Amino acid sequence: MNREIQKIIDDLSKHLSGKRLRHSIGVMYTAGCLAMRYGASADDAYLAGILHDCAKEYDNDKLISICRKNKLGMTEYEMSNPFLLHGKVGAYVAEKKYGVKSPDILGPIIFHTTGRAGMTLPEQILFVADYIEPNRKKIDGLEHIRHTAFIDIDKTCALIIDNCLKYLNGKGCVDMGADTLETYEYYKKFL
């Protein structure tokens, strides 16, 4: 682990719960492994992984306030579900506080929760790593998804978004948000 990442971990340990920090470290290492498997930058994947949830524990008012103040843009769905803004705000924090400039780090942070149609490889890597990291609680189909992650990343994205929609439908959630549905429509061809 390089010094820059260790400094970030040290700083995040002051701002994140132990559980959230463990998750972020797990995502960091998982993203690095996936990056090596698929020929992407492991260094970028490590940074995106450790920073992806840097704003996750901000309260809803703070997320909305940061988005408004910095013109980060919010959909009506995000306004109704402000926890989804932690990706946008996280990318903003990564840039302003930690000096991250690369779109191969910032883009994955923005889209790690909902995904998006036609994700770049770095975006797919973080999207998958966030779902399969070793500290993740048991989810139906997780072992199969973990196995597939190192074989076919497009199919893995499809499996994850399909699993998420099934979970949300099972919880009685009928309003999924346009980003999630667009992601599903794009990736379902890989199922």
Side-chain angles (χ1 to χ4, degrees):
M1 179 182 329
N2 70 36
R3 232 177 250 182
E4 177 186 10
I5 289 178
Q6 187 58 56
K7 284 181 184 178
I8 292 170
I9 291 171
D10 292 345
D11 185 65
L12 289 173
S13 71
K14 299 171 194 165
H15 307 288
L16 295 178
S17 66
K19 181 179 177 182
R20 181 66 44 204
L21 185 61
R22 276 189 303 282
H23 165 70
S24 295
I25 291 170
V27 172
M28 176 186 73
Y29 283 119
T30 304
C33 291
L34 287 166
M36 287 184 269
R37 159 59 181 93
Y38 289 104
S41 168
D43 289 338
D44 286 356
Y46 286 139
L47 272 173
I50 198 61
L51 289 170
H52 82 286
D53 272 352
C54 66
K56 177 77 171 186
E57 294 179 340
Y58 289 8
D59 66 43
N60 291 342
D61 291 338
K62 185 172 183 176
L63 291 168
I64 291 169
S65 174
I66 291 170
C67 284
R68 282 186 176 143
K69 181 179 176 186
N70 298 287
K71 298 176 177 53
L72 300 181
M74 292 179 284
T75 65
E76 285 185 35
Y77 186 76
E78 289 169 329
M79 286 289 296
S80 300
N81 300 278
F83 66 91
L84 292 172
L85 295 170
H86 80 273
K88 287 179 183 179
V89 174
Y92 175 80
V93 171
E95 183 175 3
K96 298 302 180 193
K97 183 173 183 178
Y98 298 105
V100 174
K101 301 290 184 215
S102 173
D104 287 339
I105 300 167
L106 299 175
I109 294 171
I110 292 168
F111 298 110
H112 78 270
T113 301
T114 60
R116 70 177 180 95
M119 286 185 277
T120 65
L121 180 58
E123 290 167 354
Q124 288 180 302
I125 286 169
L126 186 59
F127 181 76
V128 170
D130 186 37
Y131 198 82
I132 69 167
E133 66 94 3
N135 300 301
R136 177 65 74 185
K137 68 179 181 177
K138 279 292 185 192
I139 303 167
D140 286 342
L142 182 58
E143 291 308 314
H144 174 65
I145 291 169
R146 283 179 171 153
H147 175 75
T148 305
F150 291 90
I151 298 168
D152 184 335
I153 198 147
D154 290 316
K155 183 174 184 177
T156 305
C157 290
L159 290 169
I160 289 170
I161 199 69
D162 184 61
N163 221 28
C164 289
L165 289 177
K166 285 177 183 170
Y167 172 80
L168 291 170
N169 281 327
K171 290 274 199 186
C173 183
V174 291
D175 185 13
M176 308 290 178
D179 290 341
T180 302
L181 295 174
E182 287 171 12
T183 304
Y184 175 75
E185 286 302 316
Y186 179 86
Y187 282 98
K188 71 181 182 182
K189 64 188 170 209
F190 297 107
L191 288 173

Coordinates of all heavy atoms in Angstrom, one line a residue, residues 71-129:
K71 N -23.5 23.0 -7.0 CA -24.2 22.8 -8.3 C -23.9 21.4 -8.8 O -23.5 21.2 -10.0 CB -23.8 23.9 -9.3 CG -24.3 25.3 -8.8 CD -23.9 26.3 -9.8 CE -24.3 27.7 -9.5 NZ -24.1 28.2 -8.2
L72 N -24.0 20.4 -7.9 CA -23.7 19.0 -8.3 C -24.9 18.4 -9.0 O -24.7 17.3 -9.6 CB -23.3 18.2 -7.1 CG -22.0 18.6 -6.4 CD1 -21.7 17.7 -5.2 CD2 -20.8 18.8 -7.3
G73 N -26.0 19.0 -9.0 CA -27.2 18.5 -9.7 C -27.8 17.3 -8.9 O -27.2 16.4 -8.4
M74 N -29.2 17.4 -8.8 CA -29.9 16.4 -8.1 C -31.2 16.1 -8.9 O -31.9 17.1 -9.3 CB -30.3 16.9 -6.7 CG -29.2 17.0 -5.7 SD -29.7 17.6 -4.1 CE -30.0 19.3 -4.5
T75 N -31.6 14.9 -9.0 CA -32.8 14.5 -9.6 C -33.9 14.6 -8.5 O -33.6 14.6 -7.3 CB -32.8 13.1 -10.2 OG1 -32.6 12.2 -9.2 CG2 -31.7 13.0 -11.3
E76 N -35.2 14.6 -8.9 CA -36.2 14.5 -8.0 C -36.1 13.2 -7.1 O -36.4 13.2 -5.9 CB -37.6 14.6 -8.6 CG -37.9 16.0 -9.1 CD -39.3 16.1 -9.7 OE1 -40.2 15.4 -9.2 OE2 -39.5 16.9 -10.6
Y77 N -35.8 12.2 -7.8 CA -35.6 10.9 -7.1 C -34.5 11.0 -6.0 O -34.7 10.5 -4.9 CB -35.3 9.7 -8.1 CG -35.4 8.4 -7.4 CD1 -36.6 7.8 -7.1 CD2 -34.2 7.7 -7.1 CE1 -36.6 6.5 -6.5 CE2 -34.2 6.5 -6.5 CZ -35.4 5.9 -6.2 OH -35.4 4.7 -5.6
E78 N -33.4 11.6 -6.4 CA -32.3 11.8 -5.4 C -32.8 12.7 -4.2 O -32.4 12.4 -3.1 CB -31.1 12.3 -6.1 CG -30.4 11.3 -7.0 CD -29.3 11.9 -7.8 OE1 -29.4 13.1 -8.2 OE2 -28.4 11.2 -8.1
M79 N -33.6 13.7 -4.5 CA -34.1 14.6 -3.5 C -35.0 13.8 -2.5 O -34.9 14.0 -1.3 CB -34.9 15.7 -4.1 CG -34.0 16.8 -4.7 SD -33.1 17.8 -3.6 CE -34.4 18.6 -2.7
S80 N -35.7 12.8 -3.0 CA -36.6 12.0 -2.2 C -35.8 10.9 -1.5 O -36.3 10.3 -0.5 CB -37.7 11.3 -3.0 OG -38.4 12.3 -3.7
N81 N -34.6 10.6 -2.0 CA -33.7 9.5 -1.5 C -32.3 10.0 -1.4 O -31.4 9.6 -2.1 CB -33.8 8.3 -2.4 CG -35.2 7.7 -2.5 OD1 -35.6 7.0 -1.7 ND2 -35.9 8.1 -3.6
P82 N -32.1 11.0 -0.5 CA -30.8 11.7 -0.5 C -29.6 10.8 -0.2 O -28.5 11.2 -0.6 CB -31.0 12.8 0.6 CG -32.3 12.7 1.1 CD -33.0 11.5 0.5
F83 N -29.8 9.7 0.4 CA -28.6 8.8 0.6 C -27.9 8.4 -0.7 O -26.7 8.1 -0.7 CB -29.1 7.5 1.4 CG -30.0 6.6 0.6 CD1 -29.5 5.6 -0.2 CD2 -31.4 6.8 0.6 CE1 -30.3 4.8 -1.0 CE2 -32.2 6.0 -0.1 CZ -31.7 5.0 -0.9
L84 N -28.7 8.5 -1.8 CA -28.1 8.2 -3.1 C -27.1 9.3 -3.5 O -26.3 9.0 -4.4 CB -29.2 8.1 -4.2 CG -30.1 6.9 -4.0 CD1 -31.2 7.0 -5.0 CD2 -29.3 5.6 -4.2
L85 N -27.1 10.4 -2.9 CA -26.2 11.5 -3.3 C -24.8 11.3 -2.7 O -23.9 12.0 -3.1 CB -26.8 12.8 -2.7 CG -28.1 13.3 -3.3 CD1 -28.6 14.5 -2.5 CD2 -27.9 13.7 -4.8
H86 N -24.6 10.3 -1.9 CA -23.2 10.1 -1.3 C -22.2 9.8 -2.4 O -21.0 10.1 -2.2 CB -23.2 9.1 -0.2 CG -23.2 7.7 -0.7 ND1 -24.3 6.9 -1.0 CD2 -22.1 6.8 -0.9 CE1 -24.0 5.7 -1.3 NE2 -22.6 5.6 -1.3
G87 N -22.6 9.3 -3.6 CA -21.6 9.1 -4.6 C -21.2 10.4 -5.3 O -20.0 10.6 -5.4
K88 N -22.1 11.3 -5.6 CA -21.8 12.6 -6.1 C -21.0 13.4 -5.2 O -20.0 14.0 -5.5 CB -23.0 13.3 -6.5 CG -23.8 12.8 -7.7 CD -25.0 13.7 -8.0 CE -25.8 13.1 -9.2 NZ -27.0 13.9 -9.4
V89 N -21.4 13.4 -3.9 CA -20.7 14.2 -2.9 C -19.4 13.6 -2.6 O -18.4 14.3 -2.4 CB -21.6 14.3 -1.6 CG1 -20.8 15.0 -0.5 CG2 -22.9 15.1 -1.9
G90 N -19.3 12.2 -2.6 CA -18.0 11.6 -2.4 C -17.0 11.9 -3.4 O -15.8 12.2 -3.1
A91 N -17.4 12.0 -4.7 CA -16.5 12.4 -5.8 C -16.1 13.9 -5.5 O -14.9 14.2 -5.8 CB -17.2 12.2 -7.1
Y92 N -17.0 14.7 -5.1 CA -16.7 16.1 -4.8 C -15.6 16.2 -3.7 O -14.6 16.9 -3.8 CB -17.9 16.9 -4.5 CG -17.7 18.3 -4.0 CD1 -17.4 19.3 -5.0 CD2 -17.6 18.6 -2.7 CE1 -17.2 20.6 -4.6 CE2 -17.3 19.9 -2.3 CZ -17.1 20.9 -3.2 OH -16.8 22.2 -2.8
V93 N -15.8 15.4 -2.6 CA -14.9 15.4 -1.5 C -13.6 14.8 -1.9 O -12.5 15.4 -1.6 CB -15.5 14.6 -0.3 CG1 -14.4 14.4 0.8 CG2 -16.7 15.3 0.3
A94 N -13.6 13.8 -2.8 CA -12.3 13.2 -3.2 C -11.5 14.2 -4.0 O -10.3 14.3 -3.9 CB -12.6 12.0 -4.1
E95 N -12.2 15.0 -4.8 CA -11.5 16.0 -5.6 C -11.0 17.2 -4.7 O -9.8 17.6 -4.8 CB -12.4 16.6 -6.7 CG -11.7 17.6 -7.6 CD -12.5 18.0 -8.8 OE1 -13.7 17.6 -8.9 OE2 -12.0 18.8 -9.6
K96 N -11.9 17.7 -3.9 CA -11.6 19.0 -3.1 C -10.7 18.7 -1.9 O -9.8 19.5 -1.6 CB -12.8 19.7 -2.7 CG -13.7 20.1 -3.8 CD -13.0 21.1 -4.8 CE -13.9 21.5 -5.9 NZ -13.2 22.2 -7.0
K97 N -10.9 17.6 -1.2 CA -10.2 17.3 0.0 C -8.9 16.5 -0.3 O -7.9 16.7 0.4 CB -11.1 16.6 1.0 CG -10.4 16.3 2.3 CD -11.3 15.8 3.4 CE -10.6 15.6 4.7 NZ -11.5 15.1 5.7
Y98 N -9.0 15.5 -1.2 CA -7.9 14.6 -1.4 C -7.2 14.8 -2.7 O -6.2 14.1 -3.0 CB -8.4 13.2 -1.3 CG -9.0 12.8 0.1 CD1 -10.4 12.7 0.3 CD2 -8.1 12.7 1.2 CE1 -10.9 12.5 1.5 CE2 -8.7 12.4 2.4 CZ -10.0 12.3 2.6 OH -10.5 12.0 3.8
G99 N -7.6 15.8 -3.5 CA -6.9 16.2 -4.7 C -7.0 15.3 -5.8 O -6.2 15.3 -6.8
V100 N -8.0 14.4 -5.9 CA -8.2 13.5 -7.0 C -8.7 14.3 -8.2 O -9.7 15.0 -8.1 CB -9.2 12.4 -6.5 CG1 -9.5 11.5 -7.7 CG2 -8.6 11.6 -5.4
K101 N -8.1 14.0 -9.3 CA -8.6 14.7 -10.5 C -9.0 13.7 -11.6 O -9.7 14.1 -12.5 CB -7.4 15.6 -11.1 CG -6.9 16.6 -10.1 CD -7.9 17.7 -10.0 CE -7.4 18.8 -9.1 NZ -8.3 19.4 -8.2
S102 N -8.6 12.5 -11.6 CA -8.8 11.5 -12.6 C -10.3 11.1 -12.8 O -10.9 10.7 -11.8 CB -8.0 10.3 -12.4 OG -8.3 9.3 -13.4
P103 N -10.8 11.2 -14.0 CA -12.2 10.7 -14.2 C -12.3 9.2 -14.0 O -13.4 8.7 -13.7 CB -12.5 11.1 -15.6 CG -11.2 11.4 -16.3 CD -10.2 11.8 -15.2
D104 N -11.2 8.5 -14.0 CA -11.2 7.1 -13.8 C -11.3 6.7 -12.3 O -11.4 5.6 -11.9 CB -9.9 6.4 -14.4 CG -10.0 6.3 -15.9 OD1 -11.1 6.4 -16.5 OD2 -8.9 6.2 -16.5
I105 N -11.2 7.7 -11.5 CA -11.5 7.6 -10.0 C -12.8 8.3 -9.7 O -13.6 7.7 -9.0 CB -10.3 8.2 -9.2 CG1 -9.0 7.5 -9.6 CG2 -10.6 8.1 -7.7 CD1 -7.7 8.2 -9.0
L106 N -13.0 9.5 -10.1 CA -14.2 10.2 -9.8 C -15.5 9.6 -10.4 O -16.5 9.5 -9.7 CB -14.0 11.7 -10.2 CG -12.9 12.4 -9.6 CD1 -12.7 13.8 -10.2 CD2 -13.0 12.5 -8.0
G107 N -15.4 9.2 -11.6 CA -16.6 8.6 -12.2 C -17.1 7.3 -11.5 O -18.3 7.2 -11.2
P108 N -16.2 6.4 -11.2 CA -16.6 5.3 -10.4 C -17.2 5.6 -9.0 O -18.2 5.0 -8.6 CB -15.3 4.5 -10.2 CG -14.5 4.8 -11.4 CD -14.8 6.3 -11.7
I109 N -16.7 6.6 -8.4 CA -17.2 7.0 -7.1 C -18.7 7.5 -7.3 O -19.6 7.2 -6.5 CB -16.4 8.1 -6.4 CG1 -15.0 7.5 -6.0 CG2 -17.1 8.7 -5.2 CD1 -14.0 8.5 -5.5
I110 N -18.9 8.3 -8.3 CA -20.2 8.9 -8.6 C -21.2 7.8 -8.8 O -22.3 7.8 -8.3 CB -20.2 9.8 -9.8 CG1 -19.4 11.1 -9.5 CG2 -21.6 10.2 -10.3 CD1 -19.1 12.0 -10.7
F111 N -20.9 6.8 -9.6 CA -21.8 5.8 -10.0 C -21.8 4.4 -9.3 O -22.4 3.5 -9.7 CB -21.7 5.5 -11.5 CG -21.9 6.7 -12.4 CD1 -20.9 7.4 -13.0 CD2 -23.2 7.3 -12.5 CE1 -21.1 8.5 -13.7 CE2 -23.4 8.4 -13.2 CZ -22.4 9.1 -13.8
H112 N -21.1 4.3 -8.2 CA -20.9 3.0 -7.6 C -22.1 2.4 -7.0 O -22.2 1.2 -6.8 CB -19.8 3.1 -6.5 CG -20.2 3.7 -5.2 ND1 -20.0 5.0 -4.9 CD2 -20.7 3.1 -4.1 CE1 -20.5 5.3 -3.7 NE2 -20.9 4.2 -3.2
T113 N -23.1 3.2 -6.7 CA -24.4 2.7 -6.1 C -25.4 2.3 -7.1 O -25.9 1.2 -7.1 CB -25.0 3.8 -5.1 OG1 -24.0 4.1 -4.1 CG2 -26.2 3.2 -4.4
T114 N -25.7 3.2 -8.0 CA -26.8 2.9 -9.0 C -26.2 2.4 -10.3 O -27.0 1.8 -11.1 CB -27.5 4.2 -9.4 OG1 -26.6 5.2 -9.9 CG2 -28.2 4.8 -8.2
G115 N -24.9 2.5 -10.6 CA -24.4 2.2 -11.9 C -24.9 3.2 -12.9 O -25.6 4.2 -12.5
R116 N -24.7 2.9 -14.1 CA -25.2 3.7 -15.2 C -25.1 2.8 -16.5 O -24.3 1.9 -16.6 CB -24.6 5.0 -15.4 CG -23.1 5.0 -15.9 CD -22.6 6.4 -16.1 NE -21.2 6.4 -16.6 CZ -20.9 6.5 -17.9 NH1 -21.8 6.6 -18.8 NH2 -19.6 6.4 -18.2
A117 N -25.9 3.1 -17.5 CA -25.8 2.4 -18.8 C -24.4 2.7 -19.4 O -24.0 3.8 -19.4 CB -26.9 2.9 -19.7
G118 N -23.8 1.7 -19.9 CA -22.5 1.8 -20.5 C -21.4 2.3 -19.6 O -20.5 3.1 -20.0
M119 N -21.3 1.7 -18.4 CA -20.2 2.1 -17.5 C -18.9 1.9 -18.1 O -18.7 0.9 -18.9 CB -20.3 1.3 -16.2 CG -21.4 1.8 -15.3 SD -21.4 0.9 -13.7 CE -22.3 -0.6 -14.1
T120 N -17.9 2.7 -17.8 CA -16.5 2.5 -18.2 C -16.0 1.3 -17.4 O -16.6 0.9 -16.4 CB -15.6 3.7 -17.9 OG1 -15.6 3.9 -16.5 CG2 -16.2 5.0 -18.6
L121 N -14.9 0.7 -17.8 CA -14.3 -0.4 -17.0 C -14.0 0.0 -15.6 O -14.4 -0.7 -14.7 CB -13.0 -0.9 -17.7 CG -12.3 -2.1 -17.0 CD1 -13.3 -3.3 -16.8 CD2 -11.1 -2.5 -17.8
P122 N -13.4 1.2 -15.3 CA -13.2 1.6 -13.9 C -14.5 1.7 -13.1 O -14.5 1.4 -11.9 CB -12.4 2.9 -14.0 CG -11.7 2.9 -15.3 CD -12.7 2.1 -16.2
E123 N -15.5 2.2 -13.8 CA -16.8 2.3 -13.1 C -17.4 0.9 -12.8 O -17.9 0.7 -11.7 CB -17.8 3.1 -14.0 CG -17.5 4.6 -14.0 CD -18.2 5.3 -15.1 OE1 -19.0 4.7 -15.9 OE2 -18.1 6.6 -15.1
Q124 N -17.3 0.0 -13.7 CA -17.7 -1.4 -13.5 C -17.0 -2.0 -12.4 O -17.5 -2.7 -11.5 CB -17.6 -2.2 -14.8 CG -18.5 -1.9 -15.9 CD -18.2 -2.8 -17.1 OE1 -17.1 -2.8 -17.6 NE2 -19.3 -3.5 -17.5
I125 N -15.7 -1.8 -12.4 CA -14.8 -2.4 -11.3 C -15.3 -2.0 -9.9 O -15.4 -2.8 -9.0 CB -13.3 -2.1 -11.6 CG1 -12.8 -2.9 -12.8 CG2 -12.5 -2.3 -10.3 CD1 -11.5 -2.5 -13.3
L126 N -15.5 -0.7 -9.7 CA -15.9 -0.2 -8.4 C -17.4 -0.7 -8.1 O -17.7 -1.1 -7.0 CB -15.8 1.3 -8.3 CG -16.1 1.8 -6.9 CD1 -15.1 1.2 -5.8 CD2 -16.0 3.3 -6.8
F127 N -18.2 -0.6 -9.1 CA -19.6 -1.1 -8.9 C -19.6 -2.6 -8.4 O -20.3 -2.9 -7.5 CB -20.4 -1.0 -10.2 CG -21.8 -1.4 -10.2 CD1 -22.8 -0.6 -9.6 CD2 -22.2 -2.5 -10.8 CE1 -24.1 -0.9 -9.6 CE2 -23.5 -2.9 -10.8 CZ -24.5 -2.1 -10.2
V128 N -18.8 -3.4 -9.0 CA -18.7 -4.8 -8.7 C -18.0 -5.0 -7.3 O -18.5 -5.7 -6.4 CB -18.0 -5.6 -9.8 CG1 -17.7 -7.0 -9.3 CG2 -18.9 -5.6 -11.0
A129 N -16.9 -4.3 -7.1 CA -16.1 -4.4 -5.9 C -17.0 -4.1 -4.7 O -16.9 -4.7 -3.6 CB -14.9 -3.6 -5.9

